[in-house]
Amino acid sequence: MDLPTVAIVGRPNVGKSTLFNRLVGRKLALVDDRPGVTRDRREGEGFIGDVAFRVIDTAGLEEADADSLLGRMRAQTEAAILEADAVLFVIDARAGVLPSDRPFAELVRRAGCPVILIANKAEGGAGMAGAYDAFSLGLGDPIPFSAEHGEGLGSLQDALREVLPEPDEEDEDGEGGKGLRVAIVGRPNAGKSTLINRMIGEDRLLVGPEAGITRDSISLDWEWRGRRIKLHDTAGMRRRARIDDKLEKLAVSDGLRAVRFAEVVVVLLDATIPFEKQDLTIVDLVESEGRALVIGLNKWDLVADQPGLLKTLREDCTRLLPQVRGVSVVPLSGLAGDGIDKLMQAVVDASEVWSRRVSTARINAWLTDATQRNPPPAVSGRRIKIRYATQVKSRPPHFALFGNQLDALPKSYTRYLVNGLREAFDLPGAPIRLSLRTTKNPFEKG
């Protein structure tokens, strides 16, 4: 089961590890009255009632030089925040909101994921004044809580249920219990419904020469080589300016929703007129949504007699779609049933790449080599330094870099890094996310 992730963050000694132990149901994390006991991220499977999640205990957030131990601990905590589906921001209700709480409240707010504010050590109504003071952090309503005595668990359960995504059930092959979710998208009349009918072996979907027959996003269960697949046929996607009909607008919106819920998206092109502007726009959409991608060249039987065409089209794909460099381009014919096995193998391979994780040790070995071969540029006479990198998420692969002045890193250099990650760790075609986390020197006068 692929559980959603919850990170526990806050300044030192507010009870984060006690809360972690409470959520996992056993004493996995060391707990002591001294601040700074937790240094590394500790993970466990947490649950409150029927709400299950992966929970990460983090080091206390403190301002520190990036190269110091505290600075490296802070970088680990920031990586956990990036990885999380929700953040539990913990304050000490008895101490109230301290000045050191505020910059870190701003940090988690900027991270963009849901934040639940925990006013810990409020057992028996103690510290309620501090709990009310927590409203000033701008993180929503605080939950009065006692990690030591388990008070407030019901309120936390309700809050988590509202913000966490549903966990993905996985079978032995690592695929969703309802099957690998595959959306077939493309311009009108690219042959999406014809292809799906041929895949499932029956005329399940209405087809014809007219563009725009499909209006709803249709979901079908299928099995390919023993693997469960959930196929989504979608309405043809045209430019917004060319959509006047309200029903078609709703159909396209339904198709966009299918893309967002898919794991792999097959963008189907008409091989007789490939890589039209709208095709490129659709690929951009899939990449921006972070889905795994395969490009299918449908109606290949109509152009198969043109020597060298496939090589030319693959070169065109590399040139026109650098953001998904290495994506699989598969020739097929939905009408004749040719190329479907090759398409599905590409889909399964793309799903594996999309879900791939790379160890932090391998990433940093690569980073050292990459920055030695091509050092980051200098800004105002001071060289940008990338100190540390880690993968914070998969599906799609998401990497974080930590260092100084990274906000001044040129786009050309981030492209160099992304292409290097893609090549070094065999991530062809997958959308790659790269977060730049600048760590400030508190001793530097601004």
Side-chain angles (χ1 to χ4, degrees):
M1 180 181 288
D2 191 9
L3 295 174
T5 301
V6 175
I8 305 173
V9 303
R11 61 179 174 80
N13 215 31
V14 292
K16 298 184 299 299
S17 294
T18 305
L19 174 58
F20 173 87
N21 288 339
R22 173 69 62 181
L23 294 178
V24 299
R26 50 201 173 114
K27 293 184 178 179
L28 289 181
L30 290 175
V31 177
D32 194 272
D33 289 336
R34 292 168 296 174
V37 172
T38 302
R39 288 182 171 177
D40 293 307
R41 287 180 288 168
R42 182 180 292 276
E43 299 183 12
E45 288 193 9
F47 59 91
I48 308 176
D50 61 347
V51 180
F53 43 89
R54 184 167 68 100
V55 60
I56 304 175
D57 185 25
T58 65
L61 286 165
E62 294 186 81
E63 292 283 6
D65 181 71
D67 289 328
S68 67
L69 174 61
L70 288 175
R72 295 196 300 275
M73 289 161 57
R74 176 187 167 120
Q76 286 284 321
T77 298
E78 290 183 351
I81 292 170
L82 279 171
E83 185 178 354
D85 295 298
V87 169
L88 304 183
F89 188 86
V90 185
I91 68 160
D92 184 336
R94 293 183 177 179
V97 175
L98 300 185
S100 57
D101 288 312
R102 298 189 184 280
F104 301 118
E106 180 62 25
L107 174 69
V108 296
R109 188 161 48 238
R110 287 201 309 267
C113 66
V115 180
I116 298 172
L117 182 57
I118 303 290
N120 194 31
K121 306 182 185 180
E123 51 264 29
M128 288 306 295
Y132 293 132
D133 190 24
F135 279 99
S136 65
L137 293 174
L139 297 176
D141 294 354
I143 297 176
F145 201 88
S146 171
E148 183 71 28
H149 301 286
E151 295 177 15
L153 284 171
S155 298
L156 179 56
Q157 178 184 10
D158 292 340
L160 286 170
R161 186 181 285 120
E162 286 183 12
V163 300
L164 289 181
E166 289 292 323
D168 289 327
E169 296 289 338
E170 292 188 351
D171 58 23
E172 292 179 359
D173 295 328
E175 296 166 3
K178 296 182 179 179
L180 180 65
R181 298 187 295 277
V182 180
I184 312 289
V185 304
R187 288 184 288 118
N189 217 24
K192 300 180 292 296
S193 298
T194 300
L195 172 62
I196 291 180
N197 281 344
R198 178 63 69 171
M199 285 174 152
I200 64 177
E202 60 177 288
D203 292 335
R204 171 65 176 78
L205 302 173
L206 185 64
V207 299
E210 304 87 359
I213 289 179
T214 302
R215 283 178 167 167
D216 297 312
S217 175
I218 306 296
S219 176
L220 300 167
D221 291 316
W222 181 49
E223 191 170 288
W224 178 77
R225 294 187 180 178
R227 294 175 181 268
R228 285 177 289 175
I229 308 289
K230 183 170 279 292
L231 291 170
H232 295 268
D233 185 26
T234 61
M237 296 183 180
R238 295 195 291 163
R239 286 188 292 114
R240 288 181 181 273
R242 297 183 61 184
I243 301 175
D244 298 318
D245 180 63
K246 180 181 179 182
L247 187 57
E248 186 179 351
K249 287 181 181 178
L250 292 173
V252 171
S253 297
D254 204 27
L256 297 177
R257 191 158 51 251
V259 168
R260 294 185 181 106
F261 283 98
E263 294 166 284
V264 184
V265 178
V266 176
V267 176
L268 205 60
L269 311 187
D270 184 333
T272 64
I273 44 171
F275 298 114
E276 294 279 287
K277 184 178 180 181
Q278 185 63 4
D279 295 327
L280 306 182
T281 301
I282 293 170
V283 171
D284 269 339
L285 166 72
V286 175
E287 194 277 338
S288 67
E289 291 294 337
R291 305 298 94 185
L293 173 69
V294 173
I295 292 178
L297 293 172
N298 197 25
K299 308 182 186 180
W300 189 253
D301 49 320
L302 302 180
V303 296
D305 58 347
Q306 299 181 35
L309 178 61
L310 182 57
K311 180 182 178 182
T312 299
L313 292 180
R314 283 177 170 155
E315 290 172 350
D316 289 344
C317 182
T318 300
R319 175 175 54 84
L320 295 168
L321 299 169
Q323 71 274 34
V324 287
R325 190 173 177 179
V327 66
S328 292
V329 179
V330 183
L332 61 103
S333 170
L335 192 61
D338 298 332
I340 290 177
D341 270 353
K342 289 183 178 178
L343 177 70
M344 288 308 304
Q345 188 58 57
V347 164
V348 171
D349 291 345
S351 174
E352 189 276 328
V353 170
W354 187 62
S355 304
R356 186 169 297 162
R357 281 194 170 272
V358 184
S359 72
T360 297
R362 289 180 63 203
I363 295 169
N364 283 286
W366 161 81
L367 179 65
T368 299
D369 181 62
T371 52
Q372 285 176 350
R373 282 188 284 111
N374 182 12
V379 177
S380 301
R382 183 184 175 198
R383 184 164 294 283
I384 295 173
K385 185 173 182 180
I386 305 173
R387 295 186 172 88
Y388 176 77
T390 188
Q391 183 177 358
V392 295
K393 275 189 178 182
S394 59
R395 304 169 67 120
H398 185 163
F399 301 88
L401 303 181
F402 298 87
N404 71 292
Q405 301 188 101
L406 296 189
D407 50 353
L409 205 62
K411 287 186 178 179
S412 59
Y413 197 83
T414 59
R415 281 197 300 269
Y416 162 72
L417 294 175
V418 167
N419 288 335
L421 285 164
R422 193 184 297 284
E423 184 175 341
F425 303 115
D426 193 23
L427 301 169
I432 291 180
R433 302 291 185 256
L434 191 64
S435 295
L436 306 177
R437 314 297 288 181
T438 295
T439 49
K440 294 182 179 179
N441 184 347
F443 304 104
E444 182 179 338
K445 294 182 180 179

